Amino acid sequence: MSERLKPGDTAPAFTLPDADGTEVSLADHAGRKVIVYFYPAALTPGCTKQACDFTDNLAVLAGAGYDVIGISPDKPEKLAKFREKEDLKVTLLGDPEKKVLEAYGAFGEKKLYGKVVTGVIRSTVVVDEEGKVERALYNVKATGHVAKLIRDLEI
């Protein structure tokens, strides 16, 4: 099981392909706050709800100085379908090898319908302008999470 991040930790650097196959790095966002959220799979009901919530609140978040990046184990082709089908505006990155998911503590054992399984742990990490973890939230709910995050960040 991967180690969970805590406030004050340096956010692990990453470079992953987006829905168009273009490499995107955390370093590309230096000097900005970044909300990095991890979700199990594109085109599933909970993940769609969460991605749509982030898209619907993107202007509010951007206005407060936050960029938003969603990361899942999906390949860029599936992310492109997801983006087109749901008209998503957030940056979606694919991590099929799960290296970034593991580095952020967002992959490991979790309970699913009462059974212990290994998979993506729905998580959100807020990274500050210096690349440090401001907040690390694990086992978040897909529904209502974005509204709660906005409240907690006092936006």
Side-chain angles (χ1 to χ4, degrees):
M1 173 132 164
S2 42
E3 201 59 34
R4 292 193 167 177
L5 298 175
K6 298 174 295 310
D9 288 350
T10 298
F14 61 79
T15 301
L16 293 169
D18 69 7
D20 300 313
T22 305
E23 299 280 308
V24 175
S25 299
L26 182 59
D28 298 341
H29 298 269
R32 301 240 335 137
K33 293 180 182 187
V34 187
I35 295 168
V36 184
Y37 79 96
F38 299 90
Y39 62 99
L43 300 166
T44 58
C47 298
T48 297
K49 174 79 180 111
Q50 189 178 20
C52 289
D53 281 354
F54 270 117
T55 292
D56 293 345
N57 289 285
L58 204 53
V60 170
L61 292 165
Y66 291 90
D67 294 338
V68 179
I69 298 173
I71 298 177
S72 72
D74 297 306
K75 291 187 166 35
E77 303 76 37
K78 187 173 179 189
L79 295 175
K81 276 189 198 137
F82 188 33
R83 181 185 62 195
E84 262 71 87
K85 182 174 187 280
E86 302 299 337
D87 196 26
L88 300 173
K89 304 292 182 230
V90 294
T91 300
L92 300 174
L93 304 181
D95 183 19
E97 292 169 12
K98 302 174 188 74
K99 287 189 175 15
V100 177
L101 286 155
E102 287 175 354
Y104 276 77
F107 189 84
E109 283 188 357
K110 63 180 184 175
K111 270 199 162 76
L112 191 64
Y113 306 113
K115 287 192 179 126
V116 175
V117 297
T118 299
V120 176
I121 298 161
R122 192 180 301 277
S123 313
T124 300
V125 176
V126 180
V127 180
D128 71 14
E129 301 90 337
E130 325 280 279
K132 297 277 188 220
V133 174
E134 194 176 292
R135 292 169 191 259
L137 311 163
Y138 293 94
N139 296 308
V140 301
K141 300 276 179 249
T143 304
H145 173 61
V146 176
K148 183 180 181 333
L149 188 62
I150 288 170
R151 278 195 311 276
D152 291 350
L153 293 173
E154 298 176 3
I155 297 173

